[in-house]
Amino acid sequence: MTPNTQTRDRQVRSAPFELTQFAGQFLAHLRDYRKCAESTIIAYRRDLDRFADFLRTHRLPTDVGQIKPQHVQAFAASLTNYAASTITRNLDVISSFFAHLQRTGIVDLNPVGDVERPKRPRKLPRAATADQVRALVAAAKTPRGRAMILLLACTGMRRGELLGLDIGDLAADLSEVKVQGKGERERVLPVPEQCREALRSYLDVREAEEPALFVNRAGRRIGTTTFHRWFRRLLRGAGLEDSDLTPHSLRHSYATELLRAGADVETIRDLMGHSDVSVTGVYLATDPSRKRAAVESLPDFGGEVAHDGA
């Protein structure tokens, strides 16, 4: 081996472990092995690119083995124009990235571990009212539209779960539907009769070889962009264009109505596909009337106001 060859070999072995290089491998892992949605991959790439750009701009290390907690803390402090939730999401993405590098033996420590997250105000979910849901159903003039809206409102599934449904996910009698949730967790949801009727009407007129349940005019699975354009038209047709309703509002409405009907939080968690019951617990704060009813149901402790001057 010549001296020049030895020098080149030493340079290759000592080449820094560039963040962007491993970021690409991490994103491929998310797509191929964890089966994350493409929207998730795009969001992770954007946040990792933002972090890499910050490091380069401020002449900080971009070698993953040299990135320290103070570098991550400086990055978080630079995001002053972003909401607390966005800053936390960026830190969570970077932490997930370094956790992956730890598992694969590339780094020993996760530099995000001790970095403080900003406090986020707790937001209650925006739920559609029953009247708003009725208006949306009435505005859906096609069997497909009625079936989609009623499935969202009557099963609480996510938009992505709805668009990912195949014909084979429906029970033969339409009483249940199998949903592929986040992290490839499957759950089976009961379908109430009003929704089954809408599905029957849609299936009677559906003409497509595609296995997808909901198809466009070309007979292919409806995409996210097409769905959102349709939903905006539906809001206008229902006179709700000035509202802040989204497809996710129907999911929140589902959880809220289940709670009002007396369903326990654990049952709602199973139906919603939440991995943690603490996520479901936020719905406990959405219904003041339920709180009032619970308080008024307390036993009589003899607390009536006395009128004898005592």
Side-chain angles (χ1 to χ4, degrees), residues 4-16:
N4 286 341
T5 302
Q6 291 175 338
T7 301
R8 284 196 299 270
D9 286 346
R10 283 196 299 270
Q11 287 174 342
V12 169
R13 286 196 295 270
S14 63

Side-chain angles (χ1 to χ4, degrees), residues 9-202:
D9 286 346
R10 283 196 299 270
Q11 287 174 342
V12 169
R13 286 196 295 270
S14 63
F17 287 67
E18 279 293 321
L19 186 153
T20 50
Q21 171 191 345
F22 287 102
Q25 297 174 10
F26 173 59
L27 296 172
H29 170 78
L30 294 180
R31 178 184 295 107
D32 299 336
Y33 293 97
R34 292 179 56 182
K35 306 299 182 184
C36 291
E38 190 60 31
S39 58
T40 300
I41 303 299
I42 293 172
Y44 271 56
R45 179 183 293 111
R46 180 184 60 239
D47 292 346
L48 288 173
D49 285 346
R50 182 182 292 122
F51 181 49
D53 288 343
F54 170 83
L55 295 175
R56 284 191 292 267
T57 300
H58 292 81
R59 300 179 181 274
L60 295 173
T62 56
D63 182 323
V64 294
Q66 297 179 16
I67 296 174
K68 306 299 182 186
Q70 57 265 33
H71 302 146
V72 180
Q73 187 67 67
F75 169 68
S78 73
L79 302 176
T80 53
N81 294 328
Y82 292 90
S85 58
T86 302
I87 299 173
T88 297
R89 190 200 67 227
N90 274 260
L91 293 175
D92 288 344
V93 167
I94 299 169
S95 181
S96 296
F97 169 61
F98 276 98
H100 173 72
L101 295 183
Q102 278 185 295
R103 288 192 298 270
T104 53
I106 303 300
V107 300
D108 296 325
L109 298 175
N110 188 334
V112 191
D114 295 329
V115 176
E116 185 177 355
R117 267 74 164 172
K119 292 183 178 180
R120 291 185 291 177
R122 185 164 181 166
K123 287 186 177 181
L124 298 179
R126 293 176 297 173
T129 67
D131 285 341
Q132 287 174 328
V133 176
R134 293 187 190 101
L136 290 172
V137 173
K141 302 303 183 183
T142 66
R144 186 193 69 181
R146 285 177 59 84
M148 287 197 296
I149 284 296
L150 282 169
L151 261 181
L152 288 172
C154 294
T155 69
M157 67 176 65
R158 301 174 178 90
R159 177 215 64 215
E161 294 169 345
L162 176 82
L163 299 182
L165 289 177
D166 289 337
I167 290 283
D169 293 326
L170 295 170
D173 61 356
L174 305 182
S175 62
E176 293 179 335
V177 59
K178 182 176 66 177
V179 172
Q180 188 82 20
K182 290 185 175 180
E184 294 196 315
R185 293 189 299 270
E186 285 188 355
R187 66 189 190 279
V188 177
L189 301 172
V191 180
E193 177 55 38
Q194 60 174 318
C195 190
R196 294 201 294 270
E197 184 59 37
L199 280 170
R200 292 188 194 100
S201 298
Y202 167 61

Side-chain angles (χ1 to χ4, degrees), residues 202-224:
Y202 167 61
L203 292 174
D204 284 344
V205 299
R206 177 186 176 278
E207 296 180 358
E209 298 297 326
E210 171 82 20
L213 175 58
F214 293 111
V215 295
N216 56 26
R217 292 178 181 177
R220 297 179 180 175
R221 188 184 300 275
I222 293 178
T224 302

